[in-house]
Amino acid sequence: SKFTAVDQETCIACGACGINAPDIFDYDDEGIAFSLLDSNSGTVIVPEHLEEDLIDAWQGCPTDSVKVSEAPFKNNLKCVK
Ligand code: F3S
């Protein structure tokens, strides 16, 4: 299974993630992305039917801010990819 969260420190509001994976990512008022699944905590399993979208978003982010892990995220998104 996969977990995901956006590193909002490095997100530049590119907007590609929400196009690739509209059921996973949305943006705040400033265009900074977050995961809709779990308020960007990276603790809820990405539904299997969305995994392909997730990989597209992960590959498509220009700043590698879409983080994907096989385990739930703790508090340090920067360590995980
Ligand atoms: Fe940000 Fe990357 Fe999405 S820069 S808006 S996380 S594609």
Side-chain angles (χ1 to χ4, degrees):
S1 47
K2 299 210 179 326
F3 298 82
T4 187
V6 173
D7 185 341
Q8 298 186 313
E9 304 275 313
T10 58
C11 171
I12 55 167
C14 149
C17 53
I19 292 171
N20 283 316
D23 295 329
I24 305 176
F25 299 106
D26 200 0
Y27 315 105
D28 70 14
D29 290 345
E30 287 168 355
I32 302 300
F34 62 92
S35 167
L36 291 162
L37 300 175
D38 49 21
S39 303
N40 208 49
S41 62
T43 55
V44 170
I45 293 174
V46 177
E48 221 169 301
H49 71 280
L50 297 179
E51 278 191 10
E52 216 167 298
D53 284 1
L54 174 63
I55 297 307
D56 288 344
W58 173 67
Q59 290 177 336
C61 177
T63 57
D64 282 342
S65 300
V66 173
K67 305 300 186 186
V68 177
S69 174
E70 309 270 309
F73 286 75
K74 304 221 164 91
N75 277 321
N76 190 352
L77 298 180
K78 292 206 171 111
C79 306
V80 188
K81 168 121 192 190

